[in-house]
Amino acid sequence: MSEELGILELIIGASGTVQVVMLILLLASVSSWYLIVQRVMLYRRMTEELGGFEAHFWSGVDLAQIYREGNEALADGATPIGVESIFRAGFKEFSRLSQQSDIEADAVLEGARRAMRVATLRESDRLESNLPFLASVGSTSPYIGLFGTVWGIMHSFRGLANATQATLATVAPGISEALIATAMGLFAAIPAVLAYNRFAARSDSLINHYDTFVDEFSGILQRQTYAQRARRNAG
Amino acid sequence: MSTLSDRVTWFGMPVALTLAIHLVVAGLLMVRWANPVTIEARTSTPVAIKATLVSADTLKAQPKPKPKPKPKPKPKPKPKPKPTTEPLPVAVTPQQKVEPEVPLEVAKPERTPEQLSQETLSDIESALASEQLTQKGSTGTVSDQVAAVIKQAVIGRWTRPPSARNNMVAVLEIALVPTGDVVGVTVLESSGNVAFDSSAVNAVEKVARFSEVKSLERAVFERDFRRFQLIFRPEDLRY
């Protein structure tokens, strides 16, 4: 028996259960990393979008103009995301309701707010989707790895019971191979936990921004509604 | 933004990055486990010559009932115990703690003069060899020095099994801890002769501790002596 034990030999030589555990952990690690990279890209894009749209929104452009630009982008095949989709939902509802003169001003505003709330919820769903998976990987994969390790150590000690001469060399490879499972569990768990915390914080802050935007935008709509009503009453 | 490029960005990129991360980690793990230092224990087999002589002689010349097992432990002592080599012990590496063994002394007087002279000759040879060895060691790096000492220590405790032949080579892997204690000896490449292999392993196990290793710097130890290979190749057997 050679003492030149590479990780690969240890993994290949591991017992079936431990190998299954390792496979599960590898899949968990791969999928959590996939999600991490994807989420990072998504949050970056959302933040850029938020900054860009807010700058555009507060630059004094006519709201209908922004809405029309959004229509053009929609025609090109792009789907509105983030704060723009909230704006579009609110503005669409507002203009539809305010065209009907028999609806109260408060009801128009209430309708627009509801539409924006729905859009905000949809956006926060999008931001928070898959985060539970990261949380699960982060919290369970150390246990899965530990299970593999305990199993592997049990296995190698059972082998020791049958051996007449108990040396360290009899159990050492088994324990070493079993510990790989724990290492893999931690390898999967640590990035997942870090990413989960980071992403949760980021999506919270984005959703806060959206809520703020909804309030500010309702303020603008309210002003507009009452100005419209006053004009209509006067005229 | 078309849906295709969208899909590439939102699916392909994460997949590529994920694979890259896992492959890099796996690669690092694979690469870092390897390349132990090799020490070749071939030059210093004069001890083995003596072993051959003693056992062969005692077989015929001595009336002892059990000549074989007796002489075997004898060769262990280094050139030192020889009465003809008074000045030699100085030349031999001082680490050899196996001081003169009584049985050897007893056995010697019974030899014929020519055998004695022959022995003296081989003693001188071995002394020369070990002197050269120490000289080489002192001019080389600390690692070489310690390697030479380890080699000497192992060979000094080697007991030649009757079936050993000149062309036998066994590669051992030895694991040490920083105190110099041997924590593992395994046969990496067998010579094909189980007795020979286990005699080599026994020799290392008998040394049990290479105390010179303790004085090494930690980094040097980790690099060269945490795990190293010992090529066991007695070439000077006259059998």
Side-chain angles (χ1 to χ4, degrees):
Chain A
M1 186 189 65
S2 158
E3 203 160 307
E4 191 64 43
L5 283 172
I7 289 230
L8 199 63
E9 284 81 27
L10 282 178
I11 291 174
I12 290 169
S15 67
T17 318
V18 180
Q19 275 178 340
V20 169
V21 165
M22 286 176 182
L23 189 69
I24 291 172
L25 291 174
L26 184 70
L27 289 179
S29 172
V30 166
S31 40
S32 73
W33 270 103
Y34 169 74
L35 284 178
I36 289 170
V37 178
Q38 203 208 38
R39 293 282 106 182
V40 165
M41 287 164 62
L42 178 74
Y43 287 128
R44 187 169 295 159
R45 193 169 143 193
M46 288 298 208
T47 316
E48 275 170 17
E49 189 269 345
L50 179 69
F53 185 82
E54 286 205 314
H56 191 42
F57 184 81
W58 295 111
S59 66
V61 189
D62 183 27
L63 295 182
Q65 170 69 25
I66 299 176
Y67 188 74
R68 270 196 301 278
E69 282 169 15
N71 276 347
E72 281 160 24
L74 203 64
D76 285 350
T79 42
I81 53 157
V83 75
E84 190 179 355
S85 75
I86 296 170
F87 164 78
R88 288 182 63 82
F91 191 79
K92 196 188 205 170
E93 190 69 17
F94 173 77
S95 49
R96 192 184 294 157
L97 289 176
S98 57
Q99 271 161 19
Q100 291 163 309
S101 51
D102 54 335
I103 297 180
E104 285 293 305
D106 284 345
V108 172
L109 280 176
E110 190 46 49
R113 281 188 81 100
R114 198 179 306 120
M116 285 195 282
R117 204 159 50 234
V118 170
T120 312
L121 283 178
R122 205 172 293 135
E123 284 307 310
S124 63
D125 260 3
R126 189 212 296 269
L127 287 174
E128 283 173 345
S129 70
N130 292 330
L131 287 194
F133 177 80
L134 284 181
S136 304
V137 168
S139 54
T140 55
S141 62
Y143 293 119
I144 298 175
L146 193 63
F147 169 72
T149 298
V150 168
W151 190 270
I153 290 180
M154 266 162 58
H155 200 73
S156 60
F157 273 115
R158 212 180 49 212
L160 188 66
N162 298 334
T164 46
Q165 218 182 1
T167 60
L168 194 59
T170 328
V171 279
I175 292 175
S176 177
E177 115 203 339
L179 285 173
I180 292 181
T182 305
M184 286 177 76
L186 294 177
F187 177 76
I190 293 168
V193 170
L194 286 177
Y196 174 76
N197 289 335
R198 176 111 182 88
F199 293 162
R202 260 189 105 167
S203 73
D204 271 357
S205 103
L206 277 171
I207 291 166
N208 270 342
H209 269 99
Y210 294 164
D211 285 341
T212 319
F213 175 79
V214 168
D215 283 344
E216 285 169 341
F217 188 43
S218 337
I220 294 174
L221 288 181
Q222 192 172 27
R223 240 180 288 138
Q224 219 165 24
T225 322
Y226 282 109
Q228 219 171 25
R229 294 286 146 127
R231 242 181 288 131
R232 197 177 293 167
N233 288 347
Chain B
M1 220 197 285
S2 77
T3 37
L4 182 70
S5 76
D6 224 27
R7 195 165 296 166
V8 168
T9 359
W10 290 98
F11 183 76
M13 260 257 292
V15 165
L17 269 172
T18 305
L19 285 181
I21 287 167
H22 284 87
L23 286 180
V24 164
V25 169
L28 282 179
L29 285 175
M30 303 291 164
V31 166
R32 275 205 47 200
W33 296 53
N35 71 43
V37 168
T38 305
I39 295 176
E40 202 170 345
R42 68 193 295 186
T43 40
S44 42
T45 20
V47 192
I49 304 175
K50 236 170 290 142
T52 322
L53 280 171
V54 171
S55 58
D57 292 341
T58 43
L59 258 173
K60 288 154 204 158
Q62 286 192 302
K64 280 187 203 160
K66 261 175 53 185
K68 261 258 165 82
K70 247 291 168 67
K72 225 119 359 92
K74 271 178 243 161
K76 273 187 279 155
K78 299 260 62 192
K80 278 191 180 180
K82 299 295 133 74
T84 43
T85 54
E86 231 51 54
L88 285 184
V90 193
V92 176
T93 43
Q95 295 75 229
Q96 253 59 49
K97 272 162 209 133
V98 211
E99 287 297 302
E101 271 184 22
V102 191
L104 198 57
E105 304 276 9
V106 176
K108 223 162 275 146
E110 279 156 83
R111 285 176 205 159
T112 61
E114 48 184 320
Q115 276 167 352
L116 259 176
S117 69
Q118 201 182 347
E119 224 166 353
T120 318
L121 227 147
S122 69
D123 273 347
I124 294 170
E125 274 171 27
S126 77
L128 270 173
S130 59
E131 199 170 38
Q132 277 168 358
L133 218 132
T134 25
Q135 273 171 2
K136 206 178 82 189
S138 59
T139 51
T141 64
V142 190
S143 275
D144 290 341
Q145 244 169 324
V146 174
V149 167
I150 288 175
K151 186 161 70 180
Q152 284 297 316
V154 171
I155 284 163
R157 284 164 183 75
W158 182 58
T159 314
R160 192 187 58 75
S163 50
R165 295 292 177 273
N166 259 342
N167 51 2
M168 283 182 175
V169 180
V171 180
L172 304 183
E173 185 167 80
I174 302 176
L176 301 182
V177 287
T179 55
D181 285 298
V182 177
V183 290
V185 192
T186 44
V187 179
L188 221 53
E189 270 171 49
S190 170
S191 60
N193 183 327
V194 181
F196 180 79
D197 291 348
S198 60
S199 76
V201 172
N202 280 340
V204 177
E205 277 170 356
K206 261 185 222 161
V207 181
R209 156 180 270 190
F210 298 104
S211 41
E212 298 74 27
V213 170
K214 212 180 346 183
S215 59
L216 279 177
E217 266 175 57
R218 195 56 195 249
V220 177
F221 171 77
E222 291 295 339
R223 196 190 62 216
D224 292 347
F225 294 106
R226 170 67 75 182
R227 233 165 42 170
F228 62 93
Q229 293 181 0
L230 185 86
I231 299 175
F232 211 81
R233 187 200 322 249
E235 287 195 321
D236 311 335
L237 290 180
R238 293 176 200 164
Y239 218 65

